[in-house]
Amino acid sequence: KNGDYCNIPGFEALRFDSPSHKTGRGLILYSRPGAGLHSIHVQQEENLECVQFSVCVQGKTLRVIFLYRSNQHPINIFKKNIKKLVCDNKKERNFLIIGDMNSKDTVISDPSFSQLIDGPTTSGIKGNTIDHAYCKMTDFDAAGHVLYKCFVNSYHHPICVNLKHTSQLD
């Protein structure tokens, strides 16, 4: 079927199609059925797309912001916006910001956050780390990974973040 290319068996997909209607734009939130997503907020402009939500994971709230920033959105304004998001969510115990920043520069300088991605996320000899994942966790340990060569028709390598509840650590 035409719309099935975004589906992953066992997951529900919430699509946030880009208002600019350009190829490759828009965000998708995948979750397990019954995951209990709440406080979903979507902000989409032509060159910046952001989805915020909270979810309960093993009895603990996790706040997630995932985003896309095009090269046309000024990086200095983007950094100010990210700083405001961090400030607005400063009371969150478990907080993850992840997405395509289209910048190899660090975009969150707050010392309470860690950048989880340390390898190139684009193809080529001089692949850059333009996809980032920043976290501040109290109840989880987080590890970021680059999933090399997962897409055939994209120069991006997807990234993922694995969480482990700290009560499960030995």
Side-chain angles (χ1 to χ4, degrees):
K1 297 175 196 170
N2 194 11
D4 285 350
Y5 69 94
C6 292
N7 293 336
I8 299 175
F11 289 86
E12 295 175 343
L14 289 173
R15 288 181 53 165
F16 306 99
D17 294 326
S18 172
S20 67
H21 304 290
K22 293 180 182 176
T23 302
R25 298 276 178 96
L27 299 170
I28 301 175
L29 171 58
Y30 292 99
S31 63
R32 294 275 186 194
L37 303 177
H38 57 94
S39 303
I40 299 173
H41 176 74
V42 180
Q43 174 192 355
Q44 290 181 297
E45 302 167 10
E46 185 173 350
N47 294 307
L48 180 64
E49 301 178 31
C50 178
V51 176
Q52 302 179 50
F53 68 95
S54 293
V55 62
C56 186
V57 178
Q58 296 180 341
K60 301 294 181 181
T61 299
L62 172 64
R63 184 73 176 159
V64 179
I65 296 177
F66 68 100
L67 50 87
Y68 166 77
R69 174 199 158 261
S70 80
N71 284 323
Q72 286 72 42
H73 186 79
I75 189 68
N76 60 331
I77 294 172
F78 180 68
K79 287 181 179 183
K80 286 179 187 176
N81 292 342
I82 293 290
K83 191 174 185 176
K84 182 179 181 331
L85 287 172
V86 167
C87 185
D88 290 347
N89 289 280
K90 66 183 171 199
K91 293 182 180 178
E92 296 292 339
R93 292 174 50 89
N94 305 295
F95 188 23
L96 174 66
I97 299 175
I98 188 169
D100 182 351
M101 314 289 178
N102 264 309
S103 174
K104 60 184 178 180
D105 297 337
T106 299
V107 297
I108 297 179
S109 57
D110 186 311
S112 64
F113 281 79
S114 300
Q115 160 56 308
L116 300 174
I117 304 300
D118 60 5
T121 62
T122 59
S123 300
I125 294 171
K126 296 184 179 182
N128 289 315
T129 305
I130 64 173
D131 302 285
H132 300 217
Y134 297 90
C135 76
K136 176 185 83 170
M137 299 287 170
T138 301
D139 301 305
F140 300 94
D141 277 345
H145 306 281
V146 180
L147 306 175
Y148 292 103
K149 299 182 182 181
C150 288
F151 293 141
V152 178
N153 296 321
S154 176
Y155 71 97
H156 278 268
H157 302 300
I159 62 174
C160 75
V161 174
N162 294 341
L163 300 177
K164 188 167 189 173
H165 196 281
T166 54
S167 69
Q168 295 175 337
L169 300 175
D170 293 323

